[in-house]
Amino acid sequence: MSYVTGSAAPASGTAALYDPDVLADLVARVGERLGGEVADAVERCMADTLARTITPHPDGTAFVITGDIPAMWLRDSTTQLAPFLHLVADDERLADTIAAVSRRQQASILRDPYANAFNDGPTGAGHRDRTGDPATGQSPWVWERKYEIDSLAYPVQLAHDLWKATGRTDHLAEIGQVGRAIVELWTTEQRHAEASSYTFERTDCPPTDTLVRDGRGPEVGHTGMTWAGFRPSDDACRYGYNVPGNALAATALRQLAELATAVLDDAGLAARADDLRAEIERGIREHGVVPGPAGALVYAYEVDGLGGVLLADDANTPSLLSLPLTGWCTPDDPLYAATRDLVLSDANPYYYRGTAASGIGSPHTPEGHVWPIALAIQGLTSTDPAEQRALLDLILATDDGTGAVHESFHADDPGTWTREWFSWANSMFCELALEVAGLRTHRRPAPESRP
C-alpha cells in the first residue's frame, strides 16, 4: 500500500483555502495516536479535497466537485467537508472556505430545490431526461434533477454546523429564503399524489434510474412523512417514503428552527419548521417503525403508507446505520440498536459477506460490492473502540494499493472496485480516523428523548 506522504503544505492555488499549519498539527496528532500509515492517509485525503475539489469564486461562493464527476452534489459537498468542521474554530481561512460552499449550496437550492446536482455555471452539462429541458424545467445550471430529501437537508446541516462551530453568520444571508423554500417543498411532498407537479423520466437506462407511472413514482398513501423520488444513492425509491431521509429532514428542521430563532428572529419560520418536523416524526413513528424478521421493532428503510415495507439499508447516507450521526438518536437507543443488528446482517439484501470484507453495499454498484463509506459509518456509530479500529484498518487494507478510498470494492477481491476518485469516501475515512484518535470535536446532539 502506498500513500502520499510529506508535509501538509498547500498545493498551488489552495493556500487561501486553509491554514496549512492547522492541518499539519492535526495530522501530527493522528500520527502520534494511530501511527504513520493512518496519518499519511488522513493527510492525503484531506489535502486532496482542498487541492482538487474546491473552486472559489469572486462572488464569495465555492463550487465543490464530487471527485471524478465534474458536478456538485448538495449531499456530497456537505459530507466531503465533514472532517474540516473540526478545524474551523482554529482556522479562519478554512471557515471562510466552508462558508463559501454553504453560500453556493443555498444559491443552488434557490435555483431549483428539486435538483440534486449542479454545474459550475449555466453550462448545460449533465444528465437529461426523456423529454428534455423544456418539459422538466431543468436549468442549464443543473447537472441532474433527481429529487432526494437529503439534497435539501444536508445544506441546512452544513450552515447550522458552521454557525455552531464558529458563531459566524455571514453565510446565512439567504437561509431564511432557503428555509421557507424547503419547508414549502417538503410540505407539498407530504401529499405528492395530489399536490406535487414533480416528475422524472429517463429512457435507455436501468429501472433504478427513472420513475414509474409516467415519472410520478410508485403510488403512496398519506403518512405525514415527506415523499422522495430517489434515495441518497441516486437510485429510485421502491416505495415513496425513505425513512432515513425523513429522519435527516426532521433533524434539519430542528436546526432550521434554531437558526430562525437565534439568528433571523423569524418566529414564523421557526414555527413552520417545528410543526413540519413534528408531523414527519409522527409519520416515522406510526409508519416507519415495523416488526423485523425476529419480531423486534425496527426502522424500515422505505414504506409507502399502503402496506409496502422495505427492510434494508443502503451504503449511502442518510442511512439507517447513520442515524446517530445525523442527530436523530444516540447509538445506544434500543430501536436503533435493533435496526443496526438487522442492517448488519443477511436480513439486509444489500449486506455482503466475503473473504476480504463484510459490509453494506448498494444496488447502485455491482452485487457483492462493499462500500468503504458504510464501513466508516459502521465505525462512527459503534460504541466499541476495538470495532472502530478494526474497521479503520480494514478500509486501509482494501484500497488495492492505490492510496484512494474507492466507492466500493468486491467483498472477495479488493482489486475489483468502482470509482478511482470519490472524495466523499475519502472524507468518511478521515472522520473515522479522527474518531478513533479522539480528535472529532464537532458532533450533532440527539434530542433528549425520541418520540
Side-chain angles (χ1 to χ4, degrees), residues 120-134:
D120 193 7
T123 65
H127 294 289
R128 293 294 177 263
D129 66 17
R130 183 183 69 182
T131 52
D133 293 352

Side-chain angles (χ1 to χ4, degrees), residues 25 35 60-61 170 174 197 205 276 355 367 376 384 405 445:
D25 178 68
T61 71
D170 59 294
E174 292 186 306
S197 62
C205 65
L276 179 57
T355 56
E367 187 174 355
D384 179 0
V405 184

Side-chain angles (χ1 to χ4, degrees), residues 136-389:
T136 64
Q138 183 163 307
S139 159
W141 288 84
V142 172
W143 172 275
E144 187 171 60
R145 200 169 188 260
K146 288 179 174 177
Y147 172 58
E148 305 161 14
I149 297 171
D150 60 279
S151 297
L152 298 175
Y154 270 124
V156 172
Q157 288 212 323
L158 183 64
H160 182 273
D161 287 346
L162 183 60
W163 169 64
K164 276 292 191 181
T166 65
R168 68 188 293 164
T169 60
D170 59 294
H171 63 298
L172 300 174
E174 292 186 306
I175 197 65
Q177 185 180 357
V178 169
R180 286 185 287 274
I182 291 171
V183 169
E184 180 177 352
L185 189 152
W186 282 345
T187 300
T188 295
E189 294 301 339
Q190 285 179 298
R191 298 186 180 278
H192 173 72
E194 303 92 343
S196 176
S197 62
Y198 175 81
T199 62
F200 187 95
E201 288 184 280
R202 185 176 289 163
T203 57
D204 300 323
C205 65
T208 55
D209 231 14
T210 189
L211 296 182
V212 299
R213 296 198 313 129
D214 298 322
R216 298 288 294 168
E219 293 187 12
V220 294
H222 179 68
T223 65
M225 287 186 280
T226 190
W227 175 92
F230 293 86
R231 302 170 180 172
S233 62
D234 300 334
D235 297 320
C237 293
R238 182 183 304 180
Y239 302 112
Y241 300 112
N242 181 269
V243 174
N246 271 271
L248 181 64
T251 59
L253 287 165
R254 175 160 43 88
Q255 293 165 326
L256 178 60
E258 185 180 3
L259 289 172
T261 300
V263 178
L264 305 179
D265 192 25
D266 188 337
L269 176 58
R272 290 183 64 196
D274 276 333
D275 288 346
L276 179 57
R277 174 188 54 77
E279 292 175 11
I280 290 173
E281 288 183 346
R282 185 169 57 251
I284 293 173
R285 182 175 66 247
E286 295 178 355
H287 296 272
V289 178
V290 300
L297 292 178
V298 296
Y299 289 111
Y301 186 68
E302 288 172 1
V303 297
D304 61 8
L306 300 171
V309 173
L310 176 60
L311 291 176
D313 202 21
D314 191 279
N316 292 262
T317 64
S319 60
L320 295 175
L321 189 63
S322 73
L323 288 178
L325 293 181
T326 66
W328 171 258
C329 63
T330 59
D332 59 358
D333 177 89
L335 183 56
Y336 170 75
T339 305
R340 181 186 180 89
D341 288 344
L342 184 149
V343 302
L344 294 175
S345 77
D346 295 334
N348 177 6
Y350 309 136
Y351 185 81
Y352 302 114
R353 298 182 187 272
T355 56
S358 296
I360 298 174
S362 173
H364 198 70
T365 48
E367 187 174 355
H369 279 233
V370 171
W371 282 49
I373 286 176
L375 296 175
I377 297 299
Q378 182 180 343
L380 286 162
T381 55
S382 173
T383 58
D384 179 0
E387 180 185 19
Q388 293 179 328
R389 181 59 199 247

